[in-house]
Amino acid sequence: MRIAILNKDRCQPRRCSHECEKYCPRVRTGDETIVFGEDGKAIISEELCVGCGICVNKCPFDAIMIIGLPEALTEPTHRYGPNGFALYGLPTPQVGRVTGILGPNGIGKSTSVQILSGALVPNFGGENGDWEKVLEHYSGTAMHDYFKDVIDGKIKVSQKPQYVDMIPKAFNGKTIDLLEGTDERGALDDLIERLDLAPIIDRNIGDLSGGELQRVAIAACAARDADFYFFDEISPYLDIYQRINSSQIIQELSAEKAVLVVEHDLAILDMLSDVVQVAYGVPAGYGVVTHPKGVRVAINQYLKGYLPEENVRIRPDAITFEVHPPRVESDIATLVDYNAFSKKYGETFSLETDSGSLKEGEVIGIVGPNGIGKSTFVKILAGEIEPDEGELDIDVSISYKPQYIKGDNPMQVQMFLRSITRRFDTSYYQAEVIKPLNLEPLFEKMLSELSGGELQRVAIAACLSRDADLYILDEPSAHLDVEQRSLATKAIKRFAENNGKTAMVVDHDIYMIDMLSERLIVFEGKPAVYGKAHPPSSMQDGMNKFLSDLDITFRRDEDTSRPRVNKPGSRLDREQKAQGEYYYRLDE
């Protein structure tokens, strides 16, 4: 079975010669395999299409996808009309459990939530949805009872949006005003205390940082009195402590409610979820939601790229982790030595740093809580701001990707990247930057039209495109799904190794830091008061220092070697703390 997907935003029949119709073999034999509708857009008959792929290759705007589906997929749960996105299966909300959804962006998670909330009626591939048909379809299952409650108006949904930076555009006022409008359970005071929102409740929403907006969004969602809670990515802009703290709040919600969480930080998803449903398919083409699986099993299968129960390979290569921290070779040349320096912001915050050195061709991870001075540190290295004390004699060129990215440039993605580098058309640049970051489908888009994840990938490419000796990337994982994080990690690391360039990466995703870094710079201190940057150290020493401050231990999964958070007070947690090994156990 196959489906044909037409991206109507890309299809521009007035600017092409109807190549899809002209070169279609079935059209040439007299069949109406491709016709043009009243809006001028192409309509592809999936019954007549033979799957040759000629229209896909001939379309000048890459608007067509012909996708071969697994044989087990017959009737979609919902489809957005002819040649539209198709969703197969649904997440299963369960009272008393946190159900995690693991899958790439654009795979149907938002569609699933619309259906589960009752805002969208599943049409099973037909023209219109019908609740009677829905109840008949799910007769004898738990979903029947759930949808019956939806129809009767007994299900109330509370949803945390994915892109929290859009909140200031929807609400103009003080933080406390927004939160008080959501306090339906009388839990607001407790949420403000646990999420450390007291210092910002009298500030305007438009003045909040990304991490502050994320915590406000979590509090607003959790404060409502709902039957079904949906949290779409809780980790962006939050440090590890804040992520774990938010996870505990969500777990408490699930004691009497149904909770669904989409999360791309696998360490947090692993700790937070009771069951996980994998979502796979082709982004913007079709999505499939599997039945619930055990958390460890689901994540390991996803990393390996093969789902045994479904007999489906969702990725050609596995995402792998190094068992031991990389060794730092003593004969590697030093790129730059930097002196100790300090920076103060009035009487509110001060940053002090030790001196250190950066090696050629290495990737250095930078870790620490939010509000501890990491972004200030890299901005000083990049020359964006000046230190108050200490002279930096850094005689190297630097390319810098900031933490918060603005998409207000009125340029197409392709023209934007061409304006940065002369190597755009070289095979090396295409293979090492464009392809790993999957940027080609974005070429015709304007920067102002990009989603958060798309803009992040373009910003990473822009940083790597500039001619420099040192590349600094601040939170490159934000809004990227697991696949994109893995590809971005490989692109950054391969770029540094192949070109002998040095990269510094600030991030809170332990998986990304683990796959990427050879050494670590650890920040300690008191958030929003003072911070201290230690010199670069080995992965083992650095992670032990960092995690001991957070009182968190990690272990390695026996099957995939991925890091996993130990439950506080568990046997492994106690043993590793007694050994002083918070990240790498002595027997690994």
Side-chain angles (χ1 to χ4, degrees):
M1 181 182 174
R2 68 179 62 87
I3 60 173
I5 304 296
L6 178 75
N7 187 324
K8 291 192 175 183
D9 291 333
R10 290 187 187 173
C11 180
Q12 302 183 45
R14 294 182 180 180
R15 295 177 54 193
C16 72
S17 301
H18 292 194
E19 285 89 347
C20 57
E21 179 188 38
K22 184 184 298 183
Y23 290 98
C24 176
R26 295 300 296 266
V27 171
R28 289 185 171 190
T29 62
D31 291 334
E32 292 186 341
T33 308
I34 299 178
V35 297
F36 289 85
E38 294 179 358
D39 59 356
K41 309 286 186 179
I43 300 174
I44 304 170
S45 171
E46 293 170 350
E47 290 76 17
L48 297 176
C49 176
V50 295
C52 64
I54 293 176
C55 61
V56 176
N57 295 320
K58 290 294 183 180
C59 177
F61 302 110
D62 294 324
I64 301 173
M65 289 189 291
I66 306 296
I67 305 169
L69 297 178
E71 292 182 2
L73 300 180
T74 54
E75 183 181 69
T77 303
H78 187 79
R79 190 164 191 190
Y80 289 98
N83 303 147
F85 177 85
L87 174 67
Y88 296 83
L90 283 174
T92 309
Q94 301 179 59
V95 176
R97 281 187 166 186
V98 176
T99 301
I101 305 296
L102 175 57
N105 291 326
I107 212 72
K109 299 186 289 289
S110 297
T111 298
S112 298
V113 174
Q114 282 185 288
I115 292 173
L116 293 173
S117 66
L120 182 65
V121 184
N123 60 17
F124 302 106
E127 293 185 6
N128 299 306
D130 184 347
W131 280 122
E132 290 187 7
K133 186 176 180 181
V134 171
L135 294 178
E136 181 182 347
H137 180 88
Y138 289 104
S139 178
T141 69
M143 291 301 290
H144 175 277
D145 298 333
Y146 178 86
F147 279 123
K148 185 68 169 62
D149 288 340
V150 168
I151 295 169
D152 294 339
K154 296 180 180 179
I155 298 292
K156 183 179 179 182
V157 177
S158 180
Q159 181 175 352
K160 187 205 84 67
Q162 178 182 8
Y163 299 118
V164 295
D165 48 359
M166 301 298 289
I167 293 176
K169 297 181 181 180
F171 181 87
N172 183 21
K174 291 186 177 181
T175 303
I176 188 63
D177 296 332
L178 185 151
L179 291 175
E180 285 181 344
T182 64
D183 187 24
E184 299 171 351
R185 298 193 299 120
L188 185 58
D189 291 341
D190 180 58
L191 290 169
I192 288 175
E193 180 181 354
R194 295 178 65 180
L195 291 169
D196 194 24
L197 295 176
I200 65 170
I201 58 174
D202 291 323
R203 289 168 56 189
N204 288 325
I205 286 290
D207 297 332
L208 302 185
S209 67
E212 291 165 343
L213 282 172
Q214 189 70 266
R215 285 179 284 140
V216 168
I218 293 170
C221 181
R224 294 192 180 278
D225 185 14
D227 305 286
F228 170 42
Y229 292 87
F230 175 66
F231 293 87
D232 198 346
E233 293 190 39
I234 64 169
S235 64
Y237 306 123
L238 299 187
D239 60 39
I240 293 177
Y241 175 80
Q242 292 167 336
R243 294 178 186 193
I244 292 177
N245 195 29
S246 300
S247 299
Q248 292 171 344
I249 291 173
I250 293 172
Q251 284 177 318
E252 292 171 10
L253 268 180
S254 70
E256 298 178 355
K257 307 291 185 177
V259 178
L260 192 66
V261 177
V262 174
E263 183 52 60
H264 301 303
D265 183 332
L266 295 183
I268 296 301
L269 184 72
D270 188 4
M271 183 192 70
L272 173 63
S273 305
D274 296 301
V275 294
V276 169
Q277 292 181 252
V278 177
Y280 67 92
V282 176
Y286 79 99
V288 183
V289 181
T290 68
H291 293 296
K293 302 171 182 279
V295 177
R296 179 178 178 273
V297 170
I299 294 177
N300 285 356
Q301 288 181 1
Y302 188 82
L303 291 174
K304 292 178 180 179
Y306 177 67
L307 308 178
E309 294 87 356
E310 291 78 14
N311 193 25
V312 171
R313 178 159 293 281
I314 60 175
R315 191 187 318 107
D317 302 310
I319 297 174
T320 57
F321 297 84
E322 297 210 20
V323 176
H324 297 286
R327 297 179 179 178
V328 179
E329 300 293 340
S330 59
D331 58 349
I332 297 178
T334 298
L335 172 70
V336 65
D337 293 308
Y338 61 88
N339 300 320
F341 60 85
S342 64
K343 179 71 177 178
K344 289 186 178 180
Y345 290 97
E347 300 296 327
T348 58
F349 179 78
S350 62
L351 169 67
E352 293 184 2
T353 71
D354 290 333
S355 59
S357 63
L358 309 178
K359 304 291 185 179
E360 291 183 358
E362 74 171 342
V363 180
I364 297 181
I366 300 177
V367 295
N370 277 337
I372 208 75
K374 301 186 300 299
S375 293
T376 298
F377 173 75
V378 296
K379 283 180 180 178
I380 291 175
L381 291 182
E384 296 280 320
I385 56 178
E386 295 291 330
D388 294 329
E389 296 182 7
E391 293 185 3
L392 286 181
D393 186 19
I394 300 180
D395 189 21
V396 295
S397 56
I398 297 173
S399 179
Y400 171 60
K401 185 202 83 69
Q403 178 181 7
Y404 301 114
I405 310 163
K406 295 181 179 179
D408 51 4
N409 192 324
M411 290 181 69
Q412 284 186 330
V413 170
Q414 182 173 190
M415 297 306 297
F416 172 67
L417 293 176
R418 283 184 183 276
S419 69
I420 295 175
T421 179
R422 297 177 180 177
R423 299 174 295 167
F424 185 87
D425 293 314
T426 64
S427 58
Y428 174 82
Y429 184 82
Q430 294 291 321
E432 297 297 322
V433 179
I434 298 300
K435 187 175 180 180
L437 294 172
N438 193 26
L439 294 179
E440 193 169 345
L442 307 180
F443 279 174
E444 299 296 323
K445 284 189 174 184
M446 305 297 289
L447 289 170
S448 57
E449 300 173 349
L450 301 181
S451 68
E454 292 170 340
L455 193 60
Q456 187 70 260
R457 283 149 50 202
V458 172
I460 294 171
C463 180
L464 299 181
S465 298
R466 299 184 181 96
D467 290 327
D469 302 304
L470 174 61
Y471 295 81
I472 301 176
L473 300 100
D474 198 346
E475 291 203 37
S477 72
H479 300 310
L480 299 186
D481 61 38
V482 176
E483 307 260 358
Q484 292 166 346
R485 291 182 190 200
S486 174
L487 293 174
T489 298
K490 290 179 181 178
I492 296 168
K493 191 165 187 176
R494 188 182 296 119
F495 179 87
E497 291 176 348
N498 292 347
N499 294 281
K501 304 294 186 179
T502 303
M504 303 179 76
V505 178
V506 180
D507 214 282
H508 297 295
D509 187 328
I510 290 295
Y511 280 46
M512 191 169 194
I513 290 293
D514 182 70
M515 290 190 291
L516 192 63
S517 308
E518 296 171 71
R519 292 195 296 162
L520 282 183
I521 295 177
V522 179
F523 278 69
E524 293 181 308
K526 185 175 181 180
V529 179
Y530 67 90
K532 174 66 180 294
H534 293 278
S537 63
S538 68
M539 281 289 291
Q540 184 173 8
D541 292 342
M543 289 305 299
N544 280 337
K545 180 189 294 291
F546 173 53
L547 294 177
S548 63
D549 290 341
L550 297 175
D551 199 33
I552 300 168
T553 60
F554 277 78
R555 69 186 184 279
R556 290 283 186 180
D557 182 80
E558 297 177 356
D559 196 13
T560 61
S561 298
R562 63 184 173 90
R564 302 186 68 191
V565 181
N566 288 324
K567 291 184 177 181
S570 66
R571 179 183 60 82
L572 282 177
D573 183 62
R574 297 194 307 271
E575 287 180 0
Q576 288 181 224
K577 286 177 179 177
Q579 295 173 334
E581 295 294 333
Y582 286 75
Y583 196 55
Y584 298 106
R585 297 181 60 195
L586 293 177
D587 56 353
E588 290 185 332

